């Protein structure tokens, strides 16, 4: 077992996050933060967010010509129409290959401590390079992406504007930076939970407040905390009891593939729970289709508890308050291909 | 040979559309019409276009949950970012199956005489039902689509608003009507050619005007006419000379599969040329990647001519003036699935 999560779990057990008798809003505000669009800029490292970069990233995010088949864009799996994810259980990529894990939502991902279920990318610009090259996803190469972008004058001009100091602005790295800039705008403020956190006591009803209290007192919030109600830290899936094989397939050992330490077997980045009601199915395997079942599984495998039905219902009611304003995004008009643009391969 | 196109071709040969000495704008205005958004309503039959229907259709057009895999939406192949089509040559559907023909553009499709390359759907509401059910495209069934839509309360409410008189508003037929309503808004006015048609003599430069004159005098406009510069009527591909097998594969006999008449072998609906510069590759086979080659092929196979390079360049320059304002479309936020929504199958 890795020391970090033992320490964290001990903290949860030894110092419950709040006493039931305390002020719910105050207790919650000590554990969670509202989604704050103004906080985005300081989340992004080594990549100044400029309007030119966001606009370029907007186009690139939706451009299927970044994939080998020219059919699959970032938006295919991170669908902004449906909570920033696809329909699941896991994603389908080049040549209809099935990916191993559920797509994580791009919404609010800028507030995650690291990217991917196993945290193998430190930030969104590192993440953006992964699926473009993954054989089971977009199956492309940096050289082919650069050839495509350089063949399209509209893109060349936009890269020059977005990266004005660069000698060679059209690059795979700058593609990733522009996508990070756009993705950092995809945040969902103004959920009812956020209104409650900011002081509107009527934003949650009694059942939802009970759910929030249970979420903190039972220990869920020991891992699912912060602005994203999760998204940072790594914990094993199956602390108290091993999940069903279907939900936690034996072959996918999670974080340990990154750290090369068996102590991290079956550890995953804590799932961020913002907008969770919009994006079933749940878990990295995408095999659980309702929040009721997901809460039941978590209580059993992580806390060793079988919750009364009304407690599960209350927690689910609380989770439903985490749905924020979905970003309003134009469907971009992309610059047209030219005779020099590589042809799709499928 | 079918009598209708013999008659049409004779008309082209016997009565050239204009004499070179005539007024170019007047001559063009006798053959073409500008794209007029106000003319849409009277194009659509048996389906009143209302804001509620357009808004519902907007969501349905982008909803991948209409497909069996819940991965493929209308927008996948009719990509509004890239001229209303995908990257080609032909489309890829369920289980990565390859469709037999290039996707036609959805832009301005409301002005076509019929839908599909072979005209087998009389209008957009008939068309919309095809790909949803086609095994190589979205591979779904009307019953499964209705089950999905009925499981999502957000959709149920929108269907009720869009079809207020209906006893059972959530239906496959109404899905198609809503999609037709949305698609009828996808028009591209204000091309430079339209500005010229409306009287702005400076909207085209000399080369483009020469191209327009050639386009009329050589006979291209005998088929490619009207608001969509094509899109109505059927003519054999290969009037003067059989196209290369790759461009016109022997197995796809086009319109005759609809009419069951060998007189229509290799006849296709005349390709509408609006925004043609945005959407290579060309022809129903999608095997020609430049307008230069497409014009060369058409001159040879349809008119029996080998054009001088400067004439081809002039016609291509004219075709580039057919690009209009691309529709501004929001990426819709779709109503969330529920526990009763059928799961994706892939």
């Amino acid at each position: 077992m890795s020391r970090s999560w033992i320490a964290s779990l001990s903290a949860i057990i030894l110092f419950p996050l709040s006493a039931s008798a305390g002020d719910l809003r105050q207790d919650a505000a000590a554990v969670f933060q509202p989604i704050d669009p103004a906080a985005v800029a300081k989340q992004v490292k080594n990549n100044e967010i400029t309007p030119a970069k966001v606009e370029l990233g907007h186009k690139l995010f939706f451009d299927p010509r970044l994939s080998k088949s020219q059919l699959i864009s970032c938006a295919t799996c991170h669908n902004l129409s449906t909570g920033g994810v696809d329909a699941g259980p896991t994603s389908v990529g080049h040549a209809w290959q099935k990916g191993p894990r559920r797509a994580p939502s791009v919404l609010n991902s800028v507030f995650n401590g690291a990217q991917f279920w196993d945290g193998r990318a430190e930030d969104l610009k590192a993440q953006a390079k992964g699926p473009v090259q993954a054989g089971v996803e977009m199956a492309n190469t940096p050289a082919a992406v650069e050839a495509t972008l350089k063949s399209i004058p509209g893109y060349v001009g936009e890269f020059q504007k977005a990266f004005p100091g660069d000698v060679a602005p059209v690059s795979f790295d700058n593609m990733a930076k522009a996508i990070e800039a756009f993705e950092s705008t995809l945040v969902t403020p103004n959920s009812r939970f956020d209104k409650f956190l900011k002081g509107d006591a009527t934003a949650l009803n009694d059942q939802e407040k009970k759910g929030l209290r249970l979420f903190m007192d039972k220990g869920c919030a020991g891992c699912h905390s912060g602005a994203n109600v999760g998204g940072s830290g790594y914990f094993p899936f199956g602390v108290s009891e091993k999940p069903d094989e279907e939900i936690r397939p034996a072959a996918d050992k999670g974080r340990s593939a990154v750290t090369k330490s068996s102590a991290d077997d079956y550890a995953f980045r804590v799932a961020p729970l913002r907008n969770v009601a919009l994006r079933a199915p749940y878990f990295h395997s995408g095999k659980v289709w309702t929040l009721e079942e997901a809460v039941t599984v978590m209580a059993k495998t992580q806390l060793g508890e079988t919750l009364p039905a009304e407690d599960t219902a209350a927690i689910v009611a609380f989770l439903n308050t985490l749905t924020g304003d979905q970003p309003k995004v134009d469907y971009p008009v992309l610059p047209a291909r030219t005779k020099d643009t590589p042809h799709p391969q499928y």
Side-chain angles (χ1 to χ4, degrees), chain A residues 191-205:
Chain A
S191 69
R192 291 198 288 117
F193 177 56
D194 284 354
K195 289 175 183 163
F196 178 79
L197 277 181
K198 289 176 173 178
D200 177 0
T202 67
L204 303 189
N205 67 27

Side-chain angles (χ1 to χ4, degrees), chain A residues 146-193:
Chain A
E146 290 178 1
T148 294
L149 296 172
K150 287 176 181 170
S151 75
I152 299 174
Y155 269 136
V156 172
E158 288 213 36
F159 272 90
Q160 284 165 345
K161 275 205 299 193
F163 300 95
D166 282 29
V167 180
V170 186
S171 69
F172 193 63
D173 281 356
N174 283 347
M175 170 209 79
K177 283 185 173 177
I179 290 173
E180 175 177 64
F182 172 65
E183 289 181 338
S184 75
T185 69
L186 302 174
V187 298
T188 68
N190 303 323
S191 69
R192 291 198 288 117
F193 177 56

Side-chain angles (χ1 to χ4, degrees), chain A residues 115-150:
Chain A
Q115 305 301 331
F116 293 116
W117 280 96
D118 54 17
R120 68 185 182 275
E122 65 175 346
D123 56 25
L124 289 167
K125 61 182 149 312
Q127 189 280 334
K129 296 182 197 176
V132 178
Q133 299 178 78
V136 299
E137 299 185 59
M138 294 163 77
N140 218 344
T141 63
V145 167
E146 290 178 1
T148 294
L149 296 172
K150 287 176 181 170

Side-chain angles (χ1 to χ4, degrees), chain A residues 3 14 18 50 71 77 89 93 106 108 127 154 162 172 176-177 234 243 262 273 283 290 293 295 322 330:
Chain A
R3 282 188 192 168
L14 298 175
S18 61
T50 64
L71 279 167
C77 299
V106 67
N108 308 305
Q127 189 280 334
F172 193 63
K177 283 185 173 177
Y234 303 91
S262 62
L273 298 183
F283 300 119
T290 66
E293 188 184 347
V295 169
L322 297 175
D330 291 338

Side-chain angles (χ1 to χ4, degrees), chain A residues 218-256:
Chain A
K218 289 287 179 189
C220 314
C223 300
H224 296 281
S225 60
N228 261 358
V229 194
S232 293
Y234 303 91
F235 293 93
F237 186 17
V239 171
S240 291
E241 192 178 303
K242 189 180 153 187
D244 285 351
E245 165 76 16
E246 195 192 41
I247 294 175
R248 196 198 76 178
D252 183 354
K253 293 195 175 175
R255 177 74 177 162
S256 64

